Amino acid sequence: YTATITDGHDQLLNGVYKIFFAEILTNTVLQLADISGNIARHLKAPRAKTQEAMNLHMRGTKIYIAERYSNMTKLLFMAVYYFPIYPATLIMCGLALFANYFVDRFSLMRSWMPSPKTGSAISTFTREIVFPITIIFMVFQGMRYWANLPFDAVCPSNETAVPGTYWLKELDSTHQKLNNEPTLSVTLQEKDRFYQYCKNDLFTSEGIYFQSLSKMTFMSEVQEHLAEFYQYFMFSTDAIVMAVILFTIAMFLRKYFTRVYRAVGDDQNIPFSIVQSRTTYIPQVESDTSPFPFLACPVDEIKDCGMFEWRDPRRPYEYYDLTKDVEKLVLESGKSFSGDVALFSKMVYDNPPWAK
């Protein structure tokens, strides 16, 4: 606790700085370098013995959208958590997010493999739930930090100092026992002000506790007024944010009980069946042994639908049909196979009447 704002290589604020520095520079350089991806594309792929092996090396680096959102949320949370005692975190967070945006955009077009279509659910949840909760932590930590300055855990006492010279001993490396030899001498005079240890942290290992700011005798008058104002600001902000979160949850649950659909846009009189870029969800299984995913559904009735996001120029879609592999394995084992057993998803495509 007393080392919260202490300067030093192994102290809290220096550790926070190192995390942001790594996000701004180290992670950015490593992502742009894409060492493993460049080795696969420029060294392994040209020396591959088959077309499939070369395609596997050219697929790109696998990326998870959830991981990118987690990284962004981590940076924002750390910035608002520490900015009351380290305002530079807001600037470093902005630089880190700025670098991540452009580097991710470059990687998305140049080095990453195509990511699954996740829709807007993750971004909506982050914007409407995670960010408001982050604001709650921000105002709480701001109130705590302003109230606890200067983080020395001492309060002035009414007792008078006993004149004399005293030798002080430091804690050992375990911070549990005192060293045998004293390391510092202190001389007290009768007019010296006497201080004693006091518990003034609002957040301890035993939990959260609140006490009247007027009882926190270590505060100056200006600090007490500022902390009191911040305390009222914290409670009002938390109330507003919680109301917003509850309203968002209520709107989310409302769609399960009432009809809330509203059409967006106008009918363009363009049939879906003639859209060249049309796609749909088709159950697939990615594999590191194949440059194309395996299909977890029968393809006999959808192979000509034109809604696959990929096409192997050397093999038909039936080659990637896992249902045919299961049928072959079952028949080779001497057992009967029934196509009516629901082992995989069922996909059917029906052309419009005018296209038949």
Side-chain angles (χ1 to χ4, degrees):
Y1 170 74
T2 56
T4 301
I5 56 176
T6 303
D7 189 20
H9 292 290
D10 56 347
Q11 302 300 328
L12 173 64
L13 297 185
N14 188 65
V16 175
Y17 165 77
K18 291 179 180 178
I19 293 176
F20 280 104
F21 181 83
E23 287 292 338
I24 296 173
L25 185 62
T26 308
N27 292 357
T28 301
V29 172
L30 291 177
Q31 185 173 330
L32 286 175
D34 191 23
I35 298 175
S36 60
N38 282 311
I39 291 176
R41 290 189 295 271
H42 299 291
L43 295 180
K44 294 182 178 180
R47 293 165 177 79
K49 297 181 179 180
T50 64
Q51 182 67 38
E52 284 190 352
M54 187 186 73
N55 292 342
L56 286 173
H57 292 309
M58 297 294 292
R59 289 192 306 175
T61 305
K62 184 180 292 186
I63 185 63
Y64 299 97
I65 299 298
E67 184 269 336
R68 304 308 302 168
Y69 269 103
S70 299
N71 184 67
M72 178 189 68
T73 306
K74 175 196 70 175
L75 292 175
L76 182 63
F77 183 84
M78 288 189 58
V80 301
Y81 193 89
Y82 291 108
F83 95 92
I85 56 173
Y86 196 12
T89 56
L90 295 179
I91 299 177
M92 291 188 291
C93 178
L95 293 175
L97 294 177
F98 182 82
N100 284 350
Y101 169 74
F102 285 99
V103 174
D104 286 357
R105 191 172 69 171
F106 172 85
S107 301
L108 186 65
M109 304 301 295
R110 298 296 184 92
S111 59
W112 288 346
M113 65 185 303
S115 58
K117 293 180 173 59
T118 57
S120 60
I122 297 179
S123 59
T124 301
F125 178 80
T126 302
R127 182 177 64 254
E128 297 181 355
I129 300 297
V130 177
F131 285 172
I133 293 177
T134 303
I135 294 177
I136 293 179
F137 278 96
M138 178 185 69
V139 294
F140 173 77
Q141 281 300 111
M143 185 264 180
R144 176 197 171 199
Y145 285 138
W146 282 112
N148 290 340
L149 286 172
F151 293 93
D152 53 9
V154 294
C155 299
S157 174
N158 295 326
E159 299 180 11
T160 57
V162 178
T165 301
Y166 301 87
W167 288 91
L168 304 180
K169 297 181 179 180
E170 294 183 349
L171 292 172
D172 59 10
S173 58
T174 64
H175 295 279
Q176 301 294 331
K177 297 180 181 180
L178 294 174
N179 293 324
N180 294 327
E181 297 295 331
T183 57
L184 180 66
S185 64
V186 177
T187 301
L188 298 180
Q189 300 179 3
E190 188 174 354
K191 62 179 180 180
D192 290 336
R193 193 171 185 180
F194 193 79
Y195 291 85
Q196 64 181 7
Y197 171 80
C198 62
K199 184 178 181 181
N200 53 16
D201 189 10
L202 298 178
F203 187 82
T204 65
S205 58
E206 292 81 13
I208 301 175
Y209 80 96
F210 293 93
Q211 60 176 327
S212 174
L213 295 177
S214 61
K215 296 181 180 180
M216 305 175 88
T217 56
F218 64 93
M219 287 188 183
S220 63
E221 183 178 357
V222 175
Q223 184 181 3
E224 183 177 339
H225 290 316
L226 180 61
E228 185 176 6
F229 170 79
Y230 217 125
Q231 189 177 45
Y232 293 137
F233 175 74
M234 180 189 70
F235 289 134
S236 59
T237 303
D238 290 351
I240 295 174
V241 171
M242 289 304 301
V244 171
I245 294 177
L246 292 176
F247 178 78
T248 302
I249 295 175
M251 291 297 100
F252 174 77
L253 297 176
R254 176 172 170 246
K255 66 182 181 180
Y256 292 101
F257 301 96
T258 60
R259 185 173 61 184
V260 295
Y261 173 77
R262 290 194 182 101
V264 178
D266 298 325
D267 184 6
Q268 302 298 315
N269 296 318
I270 300 176
F272 177 75
S273 57
I274 68 173
V275 178
Q276 296 297 324
S277 60
R278 68 186 188 277
T279 59
T280 188
Y281 169 75
I282 298 177
Q284 301 176 357
V285 179
E286 299 284 347
S287 174
D288 293 333
T289 61
S290 173
F292 298 98
F294 294 103
L295 302 172
C297 65
V299 300
D300 295 330
E301 300 186 49
I302 62 172
K303 60 183 179 181
D304 298 324
C305 67
M307 287 191 285
F308 287 90
E309 295 182 345
W310 54 271
R311 179 179 176 274
D312 187 349
R314 302 174 63 239
R315 296 188 178 93
Y317 291 114
E318 288 87 347
Y319 177 82
Y320 299 95
D321 189 346
L322 293 178
T323 63
K324 298 185 182 301
D325 296 331
V326 173
E327 181 179 359
K328 182 179 179 181
L329 292 174
V330 172
L331 294 177
E332 288 179 352
S333 65
K335 299 179 181 180
S336 61
F337 179 81
S338 176
D340 297 331
V341 179
L343 298 177
F344 295 91
S345 301
K346 182 68 173 179
M347 301 287 293
V348 176
Y349 175 76
D350 189 17
N351 283 319
W354 58 268
K356 294 182 179 179

